[in-house]
């Protein structure tokens, strides 16, 4: 499982959802969070030279730059391309999942979610990253 | 040269669809986009006005027959108006006159009281079920509250005086627009917010208000997935917003109401399609 000190970037245009994700991740032991209100703000944090972000949990459907836009930028940049990236979505249509997988998402969390659901996904992502 | 869109309006409780004067290829494409959306409308009767249509090719006929079949499945009906003699002849040759249910006038088509939609009548539960299930799931999993849904009905205005906040999502497609709202009283919302985040609030401000949008987002996301998959609709993702102290607004189209009760009080989903 991820080191609980891993800096987590939580991206969502809705503060309530950022709080819910942080609350769930805190229950899992994580302590270090940074928040962004959309994909553009998130990218400016991730691309900063001193960024220590080790895990991104981002909403999909946001104004300005969406979670998918952010994911594509992350994957196309050498410095951030291997970052564990989970997308949060209120939809679970097969076409959406395929789009996210094609863009290089590590996993996705369907809203509504529990802390246990996030934990399961994080364990899967950690195992996948460390098996590679 | 006709416009490349299908004009629709709600008249006397029926969805009046005026087919445009366009090529059969364009009509096929327009029907393909529109038919799926008409199915979600609460109106139980759909009237096709063929006044601008000189002829239909087999592809368009097949689409219209498919729509008629879908309407029958959900116990809705249709009739056709202003079909010219040549098209009537073609439909007769194909044995489709009964299927197209040709009427002399709009009034003649509506002259069946059991099929006439009006505010207050029951609405199609199958199309509302994804919203009811989505709400129950969102509140149970994310908030830890069990919702009990009441009987859906329709009314002629959006929001109620007692509403302190509503999450709202706008749906916009070429031949179909609508709004879906999740409405709370002040006490109801504060109770839900505290259960959701474990934070006490006494007033609803912009920061807390987005909880209403986010809960609606989850409900809409669930309903959209089911409606697209099982009913062939093409609903797109949409960004919900929060409205603090919404005021009742008269609607020219029926507003479908799904009431819910919970330990934290009552709440409603309101759906209006136009």
């Amino acid at each position: 499982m991820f080191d609980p000190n891993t800096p987590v970037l939580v991206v969502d245009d809705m503060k309530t959802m950022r709080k819910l994700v942080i609350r769930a991740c805190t229950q899992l032991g994580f302590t270090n969070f940074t928040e962004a209100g959309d994909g553009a703000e998130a990218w400016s944090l991730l691309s900063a030279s001193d960024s220590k972000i080790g895990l991104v949990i981002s909403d999909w459907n946001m104004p300005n730059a969406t979670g998918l836009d952010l994911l594509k930028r992350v994957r196309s940049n050498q410095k951030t391309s291997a970052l564990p990236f989970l997308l949060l979505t209120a939809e679970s249509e097969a076409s959406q999942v395929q789009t996210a997988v094609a863009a290089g998402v590590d996993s996705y969390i369907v809203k509504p979610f529990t802390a246990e659901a996030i934990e399961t996904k994080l364990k899967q992502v950690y195992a996948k990253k460390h098996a590679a | 040269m006709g416009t490349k869109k299908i004009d629709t309006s709600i008249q006397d409780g029926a969805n009046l669809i005026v087919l445009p004067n366009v090529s059969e290829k364009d009509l096929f494409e327009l029907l393909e986009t529109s038919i799926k959306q008409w199915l979600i409308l609460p109106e139980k009767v759909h009237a096709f006005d063929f006044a601008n249509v000189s002829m239909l090719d087999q592809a368009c006929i097949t689409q219209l027959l498919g729509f008629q079949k879908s309407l029958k499945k959900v116990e809705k009906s249709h009739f056709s108006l202003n079909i010219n003699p040549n098209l009537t002849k073609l439909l007769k040759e194909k044995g489709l006159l009964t299927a197209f249910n040709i009427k002399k006038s709009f009034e003649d088509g509506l002259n069946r009281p059991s099929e006439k939609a009006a505010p207050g009548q029951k609405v199609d539960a199958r199309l509302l079920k994804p919203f009811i299930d989505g709400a129950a799931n969102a509140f149970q999993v994310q908030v830890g509250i069990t919702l009990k849904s009441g009987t859906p009905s329709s009314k002629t205005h959006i929001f109620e005086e007692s509403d302190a906040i509503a999450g709202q999502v706008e749906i916009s497609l070429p031949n179909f627009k609508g709004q879906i709202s999740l409405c709370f009283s002040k006490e109801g919302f504060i109770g839900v917010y505290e259960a959701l985040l474990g934070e006490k609030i006494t007033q609803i401000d912009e920061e807390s208000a987005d909880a209403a949008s986010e809960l609606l987002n989850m409900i809409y996301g669930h309903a959209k997935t089911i409606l697209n998959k099982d009913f062939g609709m093409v609903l797109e993702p949409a960004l919900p917003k929060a409205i603090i102290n919404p005021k009742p607004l008269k609607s020219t189209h029926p507003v479908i109401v799904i009431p819910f009760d919970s330990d934290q009080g009552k709440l409603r989903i309101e759906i209006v399609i136009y």
Side-chain angles (χ1 to χ4, degrees):
Chain A
M1 182 57 167
F2 286 94
D3 181 335
N5 294 317
T6 304
V8 184
L9 176 60
V10 181
V11 191
D12 201 303
D13 55 317
M14 297 206 188
K15 193 164 176 64
T16 298
M17 185 47 66
R18 299 201 300 269
K19 282 183 182 179
L20 285 170
V21 173
I22 290 170
R23 197 177 167 204
C25 290
T26 303
Q27 286 177 36
L28 302 176
F30 288 92
T31 55
N32 189 347
F33 301 99
T34 304
E35 297 179 49
D38 59 39
E41 187 187 349
W43 178 246
S44 69
L45 290 165
L46 286 167
S47 57
S49 57
D50 58 348
S51 172
K52 300 274 191 297
I53 302 293
L55 171 64
V56 181
I57 301 178
S58 173
D59 186 31
W60 182 313
N61 195 14
M62 295 181 288
N64 301 325
T66 67
L68 193 64
D69 295 334
L70 176 64
L71 172 62
K72 287 174 180 171
R73 291 186 95 163
V74 165
R75 290 291 179 253
S76 62
N77 183 287
Q78 198 180 1
K79 185 188 157 209
T80 57
S81 63
L83 255 184
F85 197 115
L86 287 87
L87 271 173
L88 269 169
T89 172
E91 294 134 35
S92 54
E93 284 178 62
S95 59
Q96 272 218 322
V97 174
Q98 284 163 8
T99 304
V101 169
V105 76
D106 289 301
S107 192
Y108 60 92
I109 300 162
V110 179
K111 303 179 209 173
F113 58 82
T114 58
E116 292 74 27
I118 293 188
E119 184 177 30
T120 302
K121 298 285 184 180
L122 288 176
K123 280 181 175 170
Q124 288 169 356
V125 172
Y126 184 83
K128 193 169 82 177
K129 291 280 180 195
H130 288 79
Chain B
M1 175 96 173
T3 53
K4 287 190 180 179
K5 74 183 189 68
I6 299 178
D7 286 324
T8 63
S9 59
I10 306 301
Q11 308 232 347
D12 290 337
N15 179 32
L16 176 60
I17 300 159
V18 181
L19 297 173
N21 174 20
V22 293
S23 70
E24 287 162 326
K25 182 176 171 287
D26 286 343
L27 183 59
F28 176 82
E29 285 171 6
L30 287 170
L31 285 170
E32 192 166 55
T33 317
S34 311
I35 278 173
K36 290 165 183 171
Q37 313 310 327
W38 295 332
L39 280 172
I40 198 176
L41 293 173
E43 281 67 33
K44 298 200 87 175
V45 181
H46 296 256
F48 283 95
D49 186 342
F50 286 84
N52 303 316
V53 177
S54 52
M55 190 44 72
L56 290 175
D57 63 9
Q58 188 54 46
C60 291
I61 289 174
T62 303
Q63 270 197 330
L64 288 167
L65 290 173
F67 178 55
Q68 292 162 6
K69 210 179 269 183
S70 300
L71 286 178
K72 205 172 174 185
K73 272 190 207 165
V74 291
E75 291 161 11
K76 295 185 178 182
S77 66
H78 73 283
F79 60 90
S80 304
L81 299 168
N82 302 319
I83 297 191
N84 69 45
N86 285 340
L87 186 50
T88 304
K89 192 178 162 203
L90 175 78
L91 295 176
K92 192 176 178 183
E93 283 168 6
K94 289 179 178 287
L96 296 173
L97 282 181
T98 308
F100 274 73
N101 191 22
I102 301 169
K103 296 291 175 186
K104 287 178 194 158
S105 67
F106 185 72
E107 290 69 29
D108 181 31
L110 288 182
N111 197 18
R112 284 170 295 174
S114 64
E115 292 178 343
K116 195 168 176 177
Q121 81 169 70
K122 287 182 82 175
V123 293
D124 187 349
R126 274 169 290 191
L127 297 175
L128 301 185
K129 191 171 181 297
F131 292 96
I132 296 169
D133 292 347
N137 187 45
F139 277 77
Q140 189 72 62
V141 174
Q142 205 72 65
V143 193
I145 288 176
T146 302
L147 289 188
K148 189 179 170 204
S149 63
T151 305
S153 60
S154 65
K155 58 176 186 165
T156 55
H157 59 280
I158 304 165
F159 304 134
E160 297 293 340
E161 285 291 350
S162 57
D163 291 340
I165 181 160
Q168 189 175 71
V169 68
E170 305 260 353
I171 307 165
S172 183
L173 291 166
N175 292 289
F176 169 88
K177 285 186 179 176
Q179 290 169 341
I180 300 164
S181 308
L182 177 65
C183 311
F184 298 86
S185 65
K186 182 179 175 185
E187 296 70 27
F189 179 76
I190 286 175
V192 166
Y193 186 87
E194 289 178 5
L196 179 69
L197 286 160
E199 293 176 10
K200 288 219 172 292
I201 56 170
T202 55
Q203 295 297 325
I204 302 170
D205 58 19
E206 283 194 15
E207 189 177 312
S208 56
D210 75 10
S213 318
E214 192 52 64
L215 288 166
L216 177 61
N217 190 32
M218 294 177 200
I219 297 166
Y220 175 68
H222 175 92
K224 173 184 159 297
T225 300
I226 303 293
L227 291 170
N228 286 357
K229 184 169 154 274
D230 295 347
F231 290 84
M233 294 182 183
V234 282
L235 295 168
E236 295 286 339
L239 288 170
K241 63 182 178 187
I243 306 169
I244 298 173
N245 293 322
K247 295 291 166 222
L249 288 169
K250 191 158 175 51
S251 171
T252 51
H253 298 86
V255 179
I256 301 163
V257 182
I258 308 172
F260 295 93
D261 207 350
S262 77
D263 291 346
Q264 301 298 336
K266 295 180 190 303
L267 54 114
R268 301 181 322 282
I269 291 176
E270 294 190 351
I271 303 171
V272 57
I273 304 293
Y274 45 89

